[in-house]
Amino acid sequence: MDISVVVPLYNEAESLPELSEWIARVMRENGLTYEVIFVDDGSTDASWQVVRGLAASNPAVRGVSFRRNYGKSPALNTGFAMTRGDVVITMDADLQDSPDEIPALYSMIKDEGYDLVSGWKKKRYDPLSKTIPTKLFNATARRVSGIRNLHDFNCGLKAYRSDVVKHIEVYGDMHRYVPYLAKLAGFDRIGEKVVQHRARKYGVTKFGLDRFVNGYLDLATLWFTGKFGAKPMHFFGLLGSLMFVIGFIAVMAVGFGKLWAMHSGQSYILVTDSPYFYLSLTMMLMGTMLFLTGFLGELIVRNSPGRNHYEIKEEIG
């Protein structure tokens, strides 16, 4: 099979028939064998009924439905596990991604040797409340990840060599950073293609400012675990040593200060009588404990055997 198209969706019943027919037409015109995997992320509208109908009329359509809404990352991870094509294409279900881009993306993977090609919606039809946070987010992601040639990390339209999706794990909300995940897994031939962005035809956007904030938190997590996950002592050992040395010097300074005061004839005062001693100690302990708690929690999540277990209601194909 040439291509697997993975389409995560949530409440997009109106868009699905048009999207399915559009993909089928593009594949026929280009002589490509394909499958479309619709992953219904717990939709509350008629999306899953529409997918059932599409599968009944087109054997290339497959589908999986979650019992509840888990998020885009779990939907992609589940879809990736089901793929059988040499090249995997992901796109959103809202018709803002054009299936006409598929042949060129496929060619970049098969003929130009890329591991992953990310779409770049250079001209967008989104409101400023979405485009401005997106530009800030992408600038930060480029700097942190070191993938300087990508302008749009979060574009839903991407193409992957099959090996890539079988060797990465998309969990939590890490779908924004699939190129970074691929790079960390050793797939570093990452390209970009300017793609058409269309205005939303049906429904409403699922974008919210909480995604923007969470995106930065996820980026910090991914950078930290990618850099120190396999060698935590390189971080914690250095941090602990610096804190110990600084704390030791501070204690000695306070102690010598008290001795000097006694030598000068001032009344005897205990080191622990100074409020600065307790304030500094409390801040050091709280900061260290909070950071260690967050990092250890992330390590537990990443190594939990059930972190990508999702209750599936029904599966087609």
Side-chain angles (χ1 to χ4, degrees):
M1 184 178 293
D2 295 321
I3 296 176
S4 294
V5 182
V6 177
V7 183
L9 64 102
Y10 179 70
N11 292 345
E12 298 287 357
E14 295 173 299
S15 302
L16 297 179
E18 185 174 338
L19 177 62
S20 179
E21 176 53 36
W22 194 353
I23 292 172
R25 176 176 57 78
V26 169
M27 298 301 183
R28 287 196 304 268
E29 290 175 353
N30 291 273
L32 297 168
T33 56
Y34 76 103
E35 63 181 357
V36 182
I37 302 171
F38 289 107
V39 185
D40 181 9
D41 186 23
S43 294
T44 56
D45 66 356
S47 293
W48 183 241
Q49 286 72 28
V50 173
V51 172
R52 281 178 172 173
L54 294 173
S57 60
N58 183 356
V61 173
R62 304 169 65 197
V64 59
S65 174
F66 290 163
R67 289 192 180 276
R68 66 174 180 84
N69 180 254
Y70 287 103
K72 189 172 183 178
S73 292
L76 285 174
N77 198 69
T78 300
F80 286 163
M82 296 173 63
T83 58
R84 299 176 295 199
D86 294 336
V87 174
V88 177
I89 305 287
T90 59
M91 61 172 45
D92 294 335
D94 55 13
L95 297 175
Q96 291 189 276
D97 295 332
S98 171
D100 289 334
E101 307 281 359
I102 290 176
L105 290 170
Y106 174 78
S107 177
M108 291 181 72
I109 297 293
K110 294 293 287 185
D111 301 331
E112 299 180 36
Y114 286 104
D115 296 317
L116 185 156
V117 178
S118 183
W120 175 19
K121 297 173 181 176
K122 193 172 183 178
K123 182 178 181 181
R124 302 184 66 98
Y125 294 93
D126 290 324
L128 288 177
S129 60
K130 185 174 181 180
T131 55
I132 292 177
T134 297
K135 287 182 181 295
L136 294 172
F137 161 77
N138 283 314
T140 306
R142 281 195 297 272
R143 186 169 187 84
V144 172
S145 68
I147 308 175
R148 302 300 175 89
N149 62 314
L150 291 192
H151 294 82
D152 193 354
F153 277 73
N154 200 28
C155 178
L157 187 57
K158 289 183 173 67
Y160 312 79
R161 191 177 304 281
S162 179
D163 285 351
V164 176
V165 302
K166 301 302 184 183
H167 285 87
I168 63 173
E169 188 174 26
V170 191
Y171 68 98
D173 284 323
M174 295 300 179
H175 59 274
R176 304 176 180 91
Y177 306 111
V178 170
Y180 195 10
L181 290 170
K183 179 184 176 183
L184 291 174
F187 299 99
D188 53 6
R189 285 190 53 80
I190 299 172
E192 183 175 68
K193 180 184 183 301
V194 175
V195 297
Q196 179 185 3
H197 183 229
R198 297 159 51 89
R200 175 177 276 274
K201 189 173 182 178
Y202 304 106
V204 295
T205 180
K206 312 302 189 297
F207 180 85
L209 288 180
D210 58 325
R211 296 189 181 190
F212 178 64
V213 175
N214 292 339
Y216 276 102
L217 297 176
D218 290 336
L219 181 59
T221 297
L222 189 57
W223 173 83
F224 194 87
T225 54
K227 192 172 183 64
F228 298 109
K231 45 186 179 182
M233 185 54 68
H234 287 201
F235 176 81
F236 293 111
L238 178 61
L239 179 64
S241 299
L242 286 174
M243 291 181 65
F244 179 83
V245 171
I246 293 172
F248 180 78
I249 293 173
V251 169
M252 293 296 291
V254 173
F256 280 121
K258 296 301 180 182
L259 290 174
W260 179 257
M262 289 174 59
H263 180 71
S264 301
Q266 299 181 25
S267 59
Y268 179 74
I269 302 175
L270 291 173
V271 172
T272 54
D273 288 341
S274 172
Y276 296 108
F277 171 79
Y278 292 104
L279 187 61
S280 300
L281 183 61
T282 301
M283 292 179 64
M284 290 171 57
L285 289 175
M286 288 183 63
T288 303
M289 290 175 64
L290 285 172
F291 199 88
L292 290 178
T293 299
F295 182 65
L296 291 175
E298 184 63 28
L299 288 179
I300 292 171
V301 169
R302 285 174 60 86
N303 291 281
S304 170
R307 67 185 177 277
N308 267 317
H309 174 71
Y310 315 109
E311 295 294 334
I312 293 174
K313 180 173 63 177
E314 187 175 352
E315 186 171 337
I316 299 173

